[in-house]
Amino acid sequence: MLDQMKQTGRWDSLKLQWKSGDPNPPHRFWDSDIAKWLEAACYILTLQPDPSLAAQVDEAVDNIRNAQHEDGYINTYYTVVEPGKRWTNLSWSHELYDAGHLFEAALAHNLYCQSRRLLDPLLKYIRYIDSVFGLREGHKAGYPGHQELELALLKGYEQIGDKSLLVLANYFLEERGQPRPQGHYFDVEAEARGEAPNPGPSPKGAPKYSYHQADRRVRDMESIEGHSVRAMYWLTAVSNLARVTKDESLLEAAERLWDSTTKRKMYVTGGLGGMSEWEGFGPDYVLPNETGYLETCAAIGLVFFAYQMLLIDPRRTEYADILERTLYNAVLVGVSLDGKRFFYENPLATVGKLYERSAWFDCSCCPPNVARLIATLGKYVFTVGADDTIYVHLYISCTAELTISGGKRITIVQQCNEPWNGGAKISINGPDAHRMKFSLRKPLGAEDFKVYSEGINISSLELNGRVETYMTGGILTVDFAYSARAISPHPLVLDNRGCIAFMRGPFVYCAETIDNPQIKDLRAIRIIPGRTPREFVEKREFSEWGLDPIVLKVDAIILEDGVRKEDEVTLIPVCLWANRARSDLRVWLPSLLPDEGLA
Amino acid sequence: MLDQMKQTGRWDSLKLQWKSGDPNPPHRFWDSDIAKWLEAACYILTLQPDPSLAAQVDEAVDNIRNAQHEDGYINTYYTVVEPGKRWTNLSWSHELYDAGHLFEAALAHNLYCQSRRLLDPLLKYIRYIDSVFGLREGHKAGYPGHQELELALLKGYEQIGDKSLLVLANYFLEERGQPRPQGHYFDVEAEARGEAPNPGPSPKGAPKYSYHQADRRVRDMESIEGHSVRAMYWLTAVSNLARVTKDESLLEAAERLWDSTTKRKMYVTGGLGGMSEWEGFGPDYVLPNETGYLETCAAIGLVFFAYQMLLIDPRRTEYADILERTLYNAVLVGVSLDGKRFFYENPLATVGKLYERSAWFDCSCCPPNVARLIATLGKYVFTVGADDTIYVHLYISCTAELTISGGKRITIVQQCNEPWNGGAKISINGPDAHRMKFSLRKPLGAEDFKVYSEGINISSLELNGRVETYMTGGILTVDFAYSARAISPHPLVLDNRGCIAFMRGPFVYCAETIDNPQIKDLRAIRIIPGRTPREFVEKREFSEWGLDPIVLKVDAIILEDGVRKEDEVTLIPVCLWANRARSDLRVWLPSLLPDEGLA
């Protein structure tokens, strides 16, 4: 990834040597690419030392420090490409978005090495931003065109306790979509640039301003609309603010938009964005398979949002359920098994073997975003509640150090059979270990969920998908099994009419051409209703990457070239597709209808 | 339409008074908007005099004449906005496309008033274009980025007999997609502009060059790809050239791409373009309902293409069948009943009542295109074969003057009950009337198709959907009936899985919200299989426009808010939707599946 960053000119762009007329001008969003790489690198260094990576981090930090103006401003594009145009185009320029990612990188750098070499310059930049924006006389009443700074400010507030960060985040979140007598801020600034106001409604329903989630105040919003990545970053900040301020109406808005997102606009994989025309949400239940967008970054944003909701109410299992579903499907499918190639879009069906992952993109938000998510995966496994309850959300093998009341540190070791088979053993060390309360989540698709404490089955304590118990013997054993299950589509999702999908545990499965060479077009598959899928551990070509995934075989009629034949269709987890060859995938498979006859 | 043309600055742009720095610069395609309006106006004037319209035509002709350069060149954009940049960006500039539309306008103007006031300047422009392009040393080996000039040149060749027009059209059509050692022309010119080559493959399958149908030679093309309007204009020219030159392999290519278009990539309405991302074709059988593009101009292009194919083989009824289907559905839906508002995109299902027709568009190709099609509708009713057979394709009431061998003129009067009820009476006048051979097409969805000559039923002469007979008594009577029929989707079109559509005669029907107020969301409809639709003549609100359409009522289960109830769903022809209120439509309706239970 660093290679691509260097080859494309991103890495050196912060040295501010580009001159008007030179080829390859820095883009508006390049700072964010470097920042996300830097953030990921710092989190990786927190987990394990790597002197060569650390040297690259130092260089990036130096470049950012040297790019800072006297007044605190940092932005490559507006320094070398359009100097003098600062803050003239919030709606489309990504200027505050870049600032947000730089601040997130500074927070990660501070965590990794306790140094303030990057944090202090970024806090200076934030103070400068605070001096520019707001409702006071002489300030710009604007807010980010691509949300991101908001969540970074709140993360900063929670990490370093600086209340001015909370105040600025609150301003951006409260002002967004506020009706103002002088007109919508995005029109006011467009007029100041001598341009026409923001374009009007698209005929297909991305109404004015709602592409940016800026058509009304969040408290007045009933449905999530517009660009999916913007929406998810924003709702992450909204729910974070609601938790921090305990504002009831903001919390209600967050819950309402959570429901809108996950109950009416989400694909079975956790993917978001049915409308490729604006990389975002369509009307409720419009989830086309071949033409959907399902941007990898939108799925990452949904993980962030789910995490904030889970911190608000860790007992409500739907938050961790969606987080787990999205992580194992919509996020993981975005990266190849060798970690080097990426999907930007992730439709649930393809035709013509046209898709393959790329090492890089012109607009390359997804690769470093995947990197920083994977590098911080640990935080989604356990969370600590206000009463020091340890919430176990994901069964991923790890050793975790958690901080509880009074700054005490405890160590938890979790050993799991995941992801192909259920079960985990959780042990805890520390002086207060025996007094800790655990809340153990029944994972997605788990069967026979049992929890044993000192050998005693305490599963009868299960309430709403969680078992809560005190740790008495230092070890808790969790047992559960997975088996393949068939999923029916929501009746209003006509894109999946008469179709069926398969899951096993958290994984959504798909047919991939390479595993079904006898079928020319995957659309010819008709699953025979009522037959049980068979499970096999198949090494196939996946053993190259150390994987022995469980593969499903289902009975189907193949209707091809006017011939009907019964055959077995092989299914693999969606996240594994497109690793072995150019191929097609299909998640929702037609089931045999009565007028097609039974086998 | 003229009002919008004037308000937006288009009309006066040809006066070339725009100066750098002025607001509202002329767009690259404005010349074509004026030209299409002018072409439509001339055809309308051919049918009926209108002094006020004629004066506007004169003004437009003067403006075009005055805009012409010494060397013959005419293009507003490259005269005032980017002078000196002529012919530097064929792939994206619409420069030759504008030229084609100007030439088509000149041909219409010449037909209307026999004057050469516009034709001569345009022929001078074409000669100048001929001096610029070609394979000779010092010429540019380019071709249009948006096809249109090709079909205009061939139309000109057939109208005025100037063979140089045929030669130039032949060059553009043969050179397109030819592999050349110096590289693809669109890359060569991009490099000359100092830009990167044409962008590479889209991840969703609009591969390099095929957006422009320029990835290979037409003779090597198996499947139609890319932008639908470009594709249809181009295939119109390809099939026209094949007919004129009688080139067998070109004819085969035209037939192959006709099959690709109409058998694997066309919606039930005749609409084209499943992929809104590039306003064009997706893979075979990928025809999403809500997110499809179905541009009005693409449907108009399909009418042009079908007409050329029909001229090649007037006995093959599929050409007129597709022409009729497209005209009555995909074209007519593009214009409101008052003729003043237009749809650019025509998806077959909408959600959220977001669609309404607009009086104009920034890129306003569709409104004047509809106008010129309607103004020339007459030519699709009858065609004259090489042996003077009169082919009757459409049963639309009209009086037609046709030219047969030896320049003789005959007059045909056709009186029809169309479009709601079948049947027609065709009479003929002229000295040779009794010797004329007629070939009468059985229209789409016609039942009990009977032809009577001198009172005698000669329907047993029907062969492949046509009855051929000599006109002996001066009058032929055609009788047929329509009734509603249910259409099943192609098994590979999974977008319509488990759904059904209804047609009656040439009309495709849809449910519109306004006629079904008891159903909150049209997706809740489940048609009960096997029940016969009932037909009603309903005035409803359509009588305002002098229409008494036949409306269908079908039995369905409505699954809404967890309640199942049997109800009657009202269907209207698709072309009538969105005239009475903001509403939703749905063409493909789910039929009740066994697991949803029967009524």
Side-chain angles (χ1 to χ4, degrees):
Chain A
M1 197 175 300
L2 193 56
D3 288 348
Q4 276 82 21
M5 203 93 79
K6 292 188 172 178
Q7 282 157 21
T8 57
R10 279 167 170 79
W11 185 262
D12 285 334
S13 66
L14 270 164
K15 294 178 180 155
L16 309 180
Q17 288 167 344
W18 188 89
K19 299 259 177 323
S20 179
D22 288 355
N24 196 19
H27 288 208
R28 296 170 191 272
F29 46 76
W30 276 10
D31 287 0
S32 74
D33 289 339
I34 296 168
K36 278 193 281 190
W37 173 87
L38 178 58
E39 185 190 351
C42 289
Y43 285 127
I44 290 166
L45 287 167
T46 312
L47 301 172
Q48 58 185 43
D50 179 336
S52 146
L53 186 60
Q56 302 287 354
V57 164
D58 285 344
E59 184 183 329
V61 169
D62 286 342
N63 286 343
I64 295 170
R65 287 173 58 94
N66 291 334
Q68 185 162 37
H69 292 237
E70 272 294 307
D71 59 7
Y73 185 77
I74 309 172
N75 187 293
T76 303
Y77 179 85
Y78 282 103
T79 301
V80 298
V81 183
E82 290 207 276
K85 295 271 180 76
R86 267 187 213 183
W87 315 127
T88 58
N89 190 353
L90 294 191
S91 50
W92 300 106
S93 75
H94 287 55
E95 204 170 2
L96 290 170
Y97 167 90
D98 287 329
H101 276 302
L102 285 169
F103 188 42
E104 283 202 274
L107 292 168
H109 186 256
N110 176 246
L111 270 187
Y112 143 55
C113 58
Q114 280 80 54
S115 147
R116 295 182 70 97
R117 261 182 74 75
L118 191 57
L119 184 60
D120 281 338
L122 261 296
L123 286 172
K124 183 177 178 187
Y125 184 17
I126 302 292
R127 278 194 297 276
Y128 164 65
I129 290 172
D130 193 34
S131 75
V132 173
F133 293 97
L135 298 177
R136 295 151 291 179
E137 186 65 30
H139 288 65
K140 290 175 188 292
Y143 37 83
H146 193 314
Q147 301 94 318
E148 153 61 32
L149 180 58
E150 300 92 326
L151 78 81
L153 290 169
L154 290 165
K155 186 190 268 189
Y157 165 66
E158 298 208 77
Q159 184 174 321
I160 63 175
D162 179 340
K163 198 146 190 174
S164 72
L165 302 174
L166 173 64
V167 172
L168 184 58
N170 186 67
Y171 158 72
F172 284 136
L173 289 166
E174 292 290 351
E175 184 57 21
R176 190 171 205 90
Q178 281 280 6
R180 292 292 175 197
Q182 64 271 32
H184 195 282
Y185 186 79
F186 292 164
D187 290 336
V188 170
E189 63 167 15
E191 201 183 340
R193 291 195 306 270
E195 291 174 17
N198 245 358
S202 143
K204 283 233 185 87
K208 199 162 173 170
Y209 315 126
S210 81
Y211 172 84
H212 297 94
Q213 298 83 40
D215 54 319
R216 65 195 71 192
R217 304 177 318 160
V218 61
R219 286 180 177 79
D220 299 331
M221 221 171 258
E222 295 293 331
S223 173
I224 191 72
E225 306 292 343
H227 187 262
S228 309
V229 180
R230 284 175 165 82
M232 289 303 104
Y233 283 15
W234 176 61
L235 292 179
T236 299
V238 167
S239 46
N240 194 343
L241 184 65
R243 174 171 54 79
V244 167
T245 61
K246 300 186 170 54
D247 180 310
E248 278 297 324
S249 71
L250 198 60
L251 186 61
E252 277 166 27
E255 284 174 353
R256 201 164 56 236
L257 296 172
W258 168 265
D259 285 349
S260 171
T261 304
T262 61
K263 296 187 172 53
R264 296 186 291 279
K265 305 214 177 191
M266 190 181 81
Y267 285 82
V268 67
T269 53
L272 300 179
M275 309 300 280
S276 54
E277 260 182 302
W278 57 83
E279 309 179 350
F281 298 105
D284 287 352
Y285 307 111
V286 173
L287 300 169
N289 290 305
E290 286 91 349
T291 61
Y293 204 68
L294 299 94
E295 184 176 343
T296 306
C297 286
I300 291 170
L302 179 54
V303 169
F304 297 162
F305 180 26
Y307 178 65
Q308 288 298 330
M309 295 304 285
L310 178 154
L311 291 178
I312 290 171
D313 188 352
R315 285 188 173 83
R316 215 158 119 186
T317 48
E318 66 174 296
Y319 302 132
D321 283 354
I322 297 282
L323 194 157
E324 187 181 27
R325 177 188 293 267
T326 307
L327 187 64
Y328 281 100
N329 298 289
V331 173
L332 282 188
V333 71
V335 56
S336 61
L337 287 170
D338 65 8
K340 292 182 178 165
R341 297 175 77 84
F342 303 88
F343 273 138
Y344 200 100
E345 301 172 43
N346 298 282
L348 296 195
T350 67
V351 177
K353 303 184 184 175
L354 298 163
Y355 274 65
E356 60 178 352
R357 292 186 183 83
S358 302
W360 200 247
F361 305 95
D362 282 347
C363 175
S364 216
C365 50
C366 300
N369 223 358
V370 171
R372 69 190 186 123
L373 177 71
I374 302 291
T376 56
L377 199 56
K379 76 177 176 182
Y380 304 111
V381 177
F382 306 111
T383 62
V384 182
D387 60 352
D388 280 350
T389 299
I390 311 289
Y391 291 92
V392 183
H393 302 294
L394 299 177
Y395 296 91
I396 296 175
S397 295
C398 62
T399 300
E401 291 213 342
L402 300 178
T403 304
I404 57 169
S405 308
K408 286 182 198 160
R409 309 277 290 172
I410 56 164
T411 302
I412 304 181
V413 177
Q414 181 168 265
Q415 291 170 281
C416 304
N417 303 320
E418 269 272 23
W420 312 112
N421 296 298
K425 186 177 285 186
I426 299 168
S427 58
I428 187 164
N429 279 315
D432 299 302
H434 64 283
R435 295 189 305 137
M436 301 299 300
K437 190 160 113 188
F438 275 72
S439 174
L440 301 144
R441 171 178 166 263
K442 177 180 169 181
L444 212 57
E447 296 162 6
D448 297 323
F449 180 66
K450 295 202 183 77
V451 178
Y452 299 90
S453 177
E454 298 190 87
I456 298 164
N457 184 345
I458 54 164
S459 314
S460 60
L461 300 175
E462 184 186 327
L463 185 69
N464 297 326
R466 304 197 80 96
V467 170
E468 297 210 346
T469 182
Y470 285 92
M471 171 70 86
T472 50
I475 290 180
L476 289 168
T477 307
V478 180
D479 194 24
F480 52 92
Y482 288 141
S483 67
R485 60 195 192 278
I487 309 286
S488 293
H490 188 287
L492 290 178
V493 180
L494 297 187
D495 296 286
N496 300 334
R497 178 102 188 121
C499 293
I500 196 171
F502 292 92
M503 289 186 73
R504 187 180 179 282
F507 291 107
V508 175
Y509 277 68
C510 70
E512 187 177 2
T513 323
I514 190 173
D515 298 313
N516 298 282
Q518 77 284 17
I519 308 168
K520 274 188 289 185
D521 187 326
L522 296 177
R523 290 175 293 190
I525 296 171
R526 298 293 179 270
I527 301 294
I528 302 174
R531 304 268 182 100
T532 307
R534 295 172 293 286
E535 304 185 356
F536 293 86
V537 178
E538 288 222 6
K539 295 207 177 283
R540 293 185 174 261
E541 304 84 346
F542 295 114
S543 56
E544 181 185 329
W545 298 287
L547 292 175
D548 302 326
I550 287 181
V551 162
L552 304 182
K553 308 253 187 193
V554 295
D555 292 329
I557 299 292
I558 312 303
L559 297 177
E560 214 157 35
D561 301 328
V563 177
R564 297 167 46 90
K565 58 168 192 269
E566 186 167 338
D567 208 337
E568 192 176 64
V569 175
T570 300
L571 308 179
I572 60 161
V574 166
C575 61
L576 299 183
W577 97 280
N579 274 289
R580 294 163 292 168
R582 275 219 182 198
S583 200
D584 279 321
L585 99 158
R586 190 157 290 270
V587 169
W588 289 98
L589 300 168
S591 57
L592 196 67
L593 296 182
D595 59 2
E596 293 169 330
L598 283 173
Chain B
M1 199 176 300
L2 193 56
D3 287 348
Q4 275 81 23
M5 204 92 80
K6 292 189 172 178
Q7 281 158 21
T8 57
R10 278 167 171 80
W11 185 263
D12 285 333
S13 66
L14 270 164
K15 294 178 182 156
L16 308 179
Q17 288 167 344
W18 188 89
K19 299 259 179 318
S20 179
D22 288 355
N24 197 21
H27 288 209
R28 297 170 190 272
F29 47 75
W30 275 10
D31 287 359
S32 73
D33 289 339
I34 297 167
K36 278 193 281 190
W37 174 87
L38 178 58
E39 184 189 353
C42 290
Y43 285 127
I44 290 165
L45 288 167
T46 313
L47 301 172
Q48 58 184 41
D50 180 336
S52 148
L53 187 60
Q56 302 287 354
V57 164
D58 285 345
E59 183 182 329
V61 168
D62 287 342
N63 286 343
I64 296 170
R65 287 172 58 93
N66 291 334
Q68 187 163 35
H69 293 236
E70 273 297 308
D71 58 7
Y73 185 76
I74 309 173
N75 187 293
T76 304
Y77 179 84
Y78 283 103
T79 300
V80 298
V81 183
E82 289 206 278
K85 295 269 179 78
R86 269 187 211 184
W87 315 129
T88 57
N89 190 353
L90 295 190
S91 50
W92 299 106
S93 76
H94 287 54
E95 203 170 3
L96 290 170
Y97 168 90
D98 287 329
H101 276 302
L102 286 168
F103 189 42
E104 283 203 273
L107 292 167
H109 186 255
N110 176 247
L111 272 185
Y112 143 56
C113 59
Q114 280 82 52
S115 148
R116 294 183 71 96
R117 262 183 71 76
L118 190 57
L119 184 60
D120 281 339
L122 261 296
L123 286 171
K124 182 176 178 188
Y125 184 16
I126 302 291
R127 278 195 297 277
Y128 163 64
I129 290 172
D130 193 32
S131 76
V132 172
F133 293 96
L135 299 176
R136 295 152 291 179
E137 185 65 29
H139 288 65
K140 290 175 189 291
Y143 37 83
H146 193 314
Q147 301 94 318
E148 151 63 30
L149 179 58
E150 300 91 328
L151 78 83
L153 291 168
L154 291 164
K155 186 190 269 190
Y157 166 67
E158 298 209 76
Q159 184 173 319
I160 63 176
D162 179 339
K163 197 145 191 174
S164 71
L165 302 175
L166 174 64
V167 172
L168 184 58
N170 186 67
Y171 158 72
F172 284 136
L173 288 167
E174 292 290 352
E175 183 58 20
R176 188 170 207 90
Q178 282 280 7
R180 292 293 176 200
Q182 65 273 32
H184 195 281
Y185 186 79
F186 292 164
D187 291 336
V188 170
E189 62 167 17
E191 199 182 342
R193 292 195 305 273
E195 291 174 15
N198 246 358
S202 141
K204 283 234 186 84
K208 199 161 175 170
Y209 315 126
S210 82
Y211 172 85
H212 296 94
Q213 298 83 41
D215 54 320
R216 65 195 72 189
R217 304 177 319 158
V218 61
R219 286 179 177 80
D220 299 330
M221 221 172 259
E222 295 294 330
S223 173
I224 190 71
E225 306 291 343
H227 187 260
S228 310
V229 179
R230 284 174 166 83
M232 290 302 103
Y233 284 15
W234 176 62
L235 292 178
T236 300
V238 166
S239 46
N240 194 342
L241 184 65
R243 175 171 54 79
V244 167
T245 60
K246 300 187 170 54
D247 180 309
E248 278 297 324
S249 70
L250 199 59
L251 187 60
E252 277 166 27
E255 285 174 353
R256 201 165 55 235
L257 295 172
W258 169 265
D259 285 349
S260 170
T261 304
T262 61
K263 295 186 171 55
R264 296 186 291 278
K265 305 214 177 190
M266 190 181 80
Y267 285 83
V268 67
T269 53
L272 301 179
M275 309 301 280
S276 53
E277 261 181 303
W278 56 85
E279 307 180 351
F281 298 106
D284 286 353
Y285 308 112
V286 173
L287 301 169
N289 290 304
E290 286 91 349
T291 61
Y293 204 69
L294 299 93
E295 184 174 345
T296 306
C297 286
I300 291 170
L302 179 56
V303 168
F304 297 163
F305 180 26
Y307 178 66
Q308 288 299 330
M309 295 305 285
L310 178 153
L311 291 178
I312 291 171
D313 189 351
R315 284 188 175 83
R316 213 157 119 189
T317 48
E318 66 175 295
Y319 302 133
D321 283 353
I322 297 281
L323 195 156
E324 188 182 27
R325 177 189 294 265
T326 306
L327 188 62
Y328 281 100
N329 298 290
V331 174
L332 282 189
V333 70
V335 56
S336 61
L337 287 170
D338 65 7
K340 293 182 179 163
R341 297 175 75 84
F342 302 88
F343 273 138
Y344 201 101
E345 302 171 45
N346 298 283
L348 297 195
T350 66
V351 177
K353 304 183 181 175
L354 298 163
Y355 274 65
E356 59 179 352
R357 291 184 183 83
S358 303
W360 199 248
F361 305 94
D362 282 346
C363 174
S364 215
C365 49
C366 300
N369 223 359
V370 171
R372 69 190 187 125
L373 177 72
I374 301 293
T376 55
L377 198 57
K379 75 176 177 183
Y380 305 111
V381 176
F382 307 111
T383 62
V384 182
D387 59 352
D388 279 352
T389 300
I390 311 288
Y391 291 91
V392 183
H393 302 294
L394 299 178
Y395 295 93
I396 297 175
S397 295
C398 62
T399 300
E401 292 213 344
L402 300 179
T403 305
I404 57 170
S405 309
K408 286 183 198 159
R409 308 277 291 172
I410 56 163
T411 301
I412 304 181
V413 178
Q414 181 167 268
Q415 291 171 282
C416 304
N417 303 321
E418 270 272 24
W420 310 114
N421 296 297
K425 186 176 284 185
I426 299 168
S427 59
I428 187 166
N429 278 314
D432 298 303
H434 64 282
R435 295 191 302 136
M436 300 300 300
K437 190 159 114 188
F438 275 72
S439 175
L440 301 142
R441 170 178 166 265
K442 176 181 170 182
L444 210 58
E447 295 162 6
D448 296 325
F449 182 64
K450 295 203 183 77
V451 180
Y452 300 89
S453 177
E454 300 190 87
I456 298 163
N457 183 345
I458 54 163
S459 314
S460 60
L461 300 175
E462 184 185 327
L463 186 68
N464 297 328
R466 304 196 80 95
V467 169
E468 297 211 346
T469 182
Y470 285 94
M471 172 70 85
T472 51
I475 289 180
L476 289 168
T477 307
V478 180
D479 195 24
F480 51 92
Y482 288 143
S483 66
R485 59 195 192 279
I487 309 285
S488 294
H490 188 287
L492 290 179
V493 181
L494 297 187
D495 295 287
N496 299 334
R497 177 108 188 115
C499 293
I500 196 170
F502 292 92
M503 290 187 74
R504 188 180 179 281
F507 291 106
V508 175
Y509 277 68
C510 70
E512 186 179 0
T513 322
I514 190 172
D515 297 313
N516 298 283
Q518 77 283 17
I519 308 169
K520 274 186 289 183
D521 187 327
L522 297 176
R523 291 176 291 191
I525 296 170
R526 298 291 179 272
I527 302 294
I528 302 173
R531 304 269 182 99
T532 307
R534 295 172 293 285
E535 303 185 356
F536 293 87
V537 178
E538 287 223 3
K539 296 205 175 285
R540 292 185 176 262
E541 304 84 345
F542 296 113
S543 57
E544 180 185 330
W545 298 286
L547 292 176
D548 301 327
I550 287 180
V551 162
L552 304 182
K553 308 251 186 194
V554 295
D555 294 328
I557 299 292
I558 312 303
L559 297 176
E560 214 156 37
D561 302 328
V563 177
R564 297 166 49 89
K565 57 169 192 264
E566 185 165 341
D567 208 335
E568 193 176 63
V569 175
T570 301
L571 308 179
I572 60 162
V574 166
C575 61
L576 299 183
W577 97 280
N579 275 288
R580 295 163 291 167
R582 275 220 179 196
S583 201
D584 279 320
L585 99 158
R586 188 157 292 268
V587 169
W588 288 99
L589 299 169
S591 57
L592 197 65
L593 296 182
D595 58 2
E596 294 169 328
L598 285 172

